[in-house]
Amino acid sequence: MEITVFLLVFFTGFLSAQSKYIAYNTSQGVVEGKLNVHLVAHTHDDVGWLKTVDQYYVGSNNSIQGACVQNVLDSIVPTLLADKNRKFIYVEQAFFQRWWRDQSEVIQDTVKKLVSSGQLEFINGGMCMHDEAATHYIDMIDQTTLGHRFIKQEFNETPRIGWQIDPFGHSAVQAYLLGAEVGFDSLFFGRIDYQDREKRKNDKSLEVIWQGSKTLGFSAQIFAGAFPDNYEPPPGDFYFEVNDQSPVIQDDSNLFDYNVQERVNDFVAAALSQANITRTNHVMWTMGTDFKYQYANSWFRQMDKFIHYVNMDGRVNALYSTPSIYTDAKYSTNESWPLKTEDFFPYADRANSYWTGYFTSRPAIKRYVRVMSGYYLAARQLELYRGRNNLRPKTDSLGDALAIAQHHDAVTGTEKQHVADDYAKRLSVGYVECPLLNISYCPPSEVDLSPGKKLVIVVYNSLGWRREDVVRIPVISKSVTVHDSNGKEVESQILPIANASIGIRNFYAKAYLGKSPSATPKYWLAFLASVPPLGFSTYIVSGNKTTVVESVVSIVSSNGSKSGTIEVGQGNLKLVYNVHEGKLTHYINKRSLIKASVEQSYSYYAGSPGSNTDPQASGAYIFRPDTTNATKFEGQENILLPQNPLTVLRGPILDEVHQRINPWIYQITRVYKGKEHAEVDFIVGPIPVDDQIGKEVITQVATSMKSNKTFYTDSNGRDFIKRIRDYRTDWDFQVNQPVAGNYYPINLGLYIEDNMTELSVLVDRSVGGSSIVDGQVEIMLHRRLLYDDSRGVAESLNEEVCILEECAGLTIQGNFYIRIDPLGEGAKWRRSFGQEIYSPFLLTFAEQDGDNWTTSHIPTFSGVDPSYSLPDNVAMITLQELDDGKALIRLAHLYEVGEDKDLSVTASVELKKLFSDKKIGEVTEMSLSANQERAEMEKKRLVWKTEGSLVEEPKVVRGGPVDPVTLIVELSPMEIRTFTLIFLT
């Protein structure tokens, strides 16, 4: 009885105890002499991955992933207003801008105050967090500019920090171009190789001064930091989204589970652990991860408590912070930092798990992005010349679609299939003129040119110099002739379309359009077009019965060649084939006196399904071949069986060699009369998987060169970086995947060299490649795999195209280009022809019936003074009209220091002659992303100290100020200069 009374009294007292309001002190700043823990509240919001960008924003399709970005942004505003000391950073402008447009003026004003006070800070500031491997530097600049200019316009702010926390490896171009050159003071990221990370933890070099460009050196260096454990909160249970499992701080002593000291101890232990691998008394905690803060108060309530109680404890100092505050704190210590050069590729998160497969995954969308990028560059030029007008279509929707396509789960090919389809659909909105020309389907050119009818072709050249190139279009009749706008006949050539191409055309046209083409052209018409810089020329195609120049077609088999070899090419370049083996054997250039043995072949790596000892499979992200040796295709060594002869086409403009490699690989090698490289047109697919083996198809170009394990690959189409097989500059590399661990991203090309010659291979899209054997390079063209690689996408990389119930694996058609030069002379071709690959001729068509087109239309145009063109070492990578009526122009020097004996020098551009019909009133040099004046950016630049740095850094040449009278722009090697122009009316 006494015990019962006691218990009743106890519980009555317990239940009637009143909780006391606690005012948490969150005002703490940096404290000298203590370990400062900077709590950075953030969310990482993929602009498409498992769901489409729209589904992520509104929170639909949550059976795949419970994520709603709209909830995140809605939740953040009132949570920040509740405590002026709270801070939050936001990155992806594609989401934020959509949310911003939906808000009332009251909310917009509130958000502007939060941004102005520093509570809400925009980090990175691009439309997305772009990838750094499969992206071209022009696309990286464009998508960043879209975000930065919006932030400047709406908030008058310029982002200070790069925040590339999720991309799968990090490029040198990101560091110096999309870091220092956009005005960032620091760059932070999450993913680096697991071996590299452990080494950097041991010697406290996770944070470095990164000099990404050997040409621009210290003038474009940046403070950079890799997180100790990706971009999530540190180990120790610090996740506080609703339903997360981490224990919250229970600080009401009247309730059970009071755990303040326990949680403070967890915090201090995690802080000290990170301090042991970090220089200075400042550490950053990334408090958030993918799509967090959908209920922001859940996080901030716990961080309030941690700051309050940890600082009462006194062993370390906790504070609400941002990467900007953290960077300034690091800078104030006057510490000297290790120097980092080159890049952080390739990336592996553990043994046998190299994220080098995504360099090639989804090659179709990679090509689509590249095509649309060149189209967008040209379309903006024409928009400026014509003038932006709300009554006409604008380039804005294409710019937005291209921007989100640079996301690190978009162009990378690491998204779910329905998301990849969504990206492609968005890109298609901005491109309507023969979008299926790559599969020889172009209705405007496939017209009946009966007497009186003519086909008008307007050819646009977006490059800054006059260009001559071959135009190829499908036609239904071989009886055609071509004239220029002056009525002069242009040399042309008719080539039969290969049966392999016709099969692709018929299947894919029906798949994409829902119906079969009404006619099937049998021929390609090829003619040489000459087009002025930043201008167009007009050509007229008409029916003709007498002057047709057909290609001479010969079928060469081992029985039909007495010598055993054939030679193709009518100009300086000759390719020699062994007829009996059906192989290319020699590359001969009469001008440069090159005679080199060379072979080109196809193989595949069998994608690993994983094993009992290591379940890691090859997939969208991971490249893990089942063996270290690529498998040659059966019969390839004796390809010239009676059913597989060589087919050779010869004509006045080009020669072609057609080869059926196997039932699902077809190749056409072209040699143009006026060019000194070989163009390879390949068709790969559908890759068969009936044997239950996923395949990763490569092409190899082999020579007798002594390349000594060394090769060079481009960084986002910009700098070339030296690679050494089985070697890393920054640590002692333990080789566990000798193929995948030596693969690198390629956007422009790769090359090898010895003491006499250099072999270059350029590509038409981003791919992966390497030199696994001395004297040989390889690029991966296509992948079809049957297992998921367990990195979150939860699908195998098995792309199919369906017509009703009939589905087939995806077929890829594309090009790569081969050239051999004397040592030191290859850069001219790589740089100049690389620009032509990125910016091909753009074709538009009209049908002329009766009236003379050239008298009723402007037949030729150039935006440049007739006597002028850009120097050979300079490209115009941006020319567009901005919303405020100004023009934005970017000029890029194409060469690195020492890359070419003639062209690695300072160049000059005369702006007055670049705009022949416009008078320039004002020129302002801007940062790369055009959101602040360059001079202002330079004044704010932080100058960091590096370990062992010289008292005086090596001199870096930069172009000088632009004289307002002469308007001449100087560009030093690798320099990109950005200007806004005001034209006088």
Side-chain angles (χ1 to χ4, degrees), residues 26-31 36-42 80 84-90 118-121 123 160-161 163 188 267 282-287 293 300 303-304 307 317-330:
T26 60
S27 63
Q28 193 80 309
V30 169
V31 175
N36 292 276
V37 183
H38 296 250
L39 302 183
V40 175
H42 80 103
L80 293 179
K84 66 179 182 180
N85 298 310
R86 292 173 173 175
K87 293 177 173 59
F88 189 79
I89 63 172
Y90 197 75
Q119 281 191 265
L120 175 61
E121 183 173 348
I123 301 293
R160 291 185 54 199
I161 309 297
W163 191 252
F188 297 99
F267 188 102
H282 297 275
V283 296
M284 183 199 299
W285 283 14
T286 48
M287 298 300 292
Y293 291 80
F300 280 105
M303 286 188 287
D304 286 352
I307 293 172
N317 181 58
L319 66 151
Y320 277 123
S321 189
T322 67
S324 296
I325 295 171
Y326 178 78
T327 298
D328 290 339
K330 287 284 188 178

Side-chain angles (χ1 to χ4, degrees), residues 94 301 893:
R301 179 189 294 118
H893 198 298

Side-chain angles (χ1 to χ4, degrees), residues 655-674:
D655 290 354
E656 289 186 346
V657 178
H658 292 233
Q659 295 172 275
R660 168 65 70 181
I661 307 300
N662 69 15
W664 49 276
I665 298 181
Y666 192 85
Q667 172 175 295
I668 303 172
T669 304
R670 298 189 184 92
V671 181
Y672 295 94
K673 182 177 180 180

Side-chain angles (χ1 to χ4, degrees), residues 340-403:
K340 163 68 182 173
T341 59
E342 300 175 347
D343 61 9
F344 286 93
F345 285 117
Y347 160 61
D349 57 7
R350 56 179 179 262
N352 301 322
S353 299
Y354 281 90
W355 297 47
T356 53
Y358 81 95
F359 299 161
T360 302
S361 296
R362 300 194 191 276
I365 198 168
K366 283 177 163 63
R367 176 58 181 161
Y368 201 13
V369 168
R370 183 62 53 83
V371 168
M372 298 311 296
S373 178
Y375 180 82
Y376 181 51
L377 181 148
R380 284 178 293 167
Q381 293 176 359
L382 291 166
E383 190 174 50
L384 179 138
Y385 291 133
R386 182 70 186 272
R388 283 173 66 90
N389 189 316
N390 290 329
L391 300 179
R392 290 194 294 267
K394 296 182 181 180
T395 59
D396 296 352
S397 62
L398 176 55
D400 290 341
L402 265 173

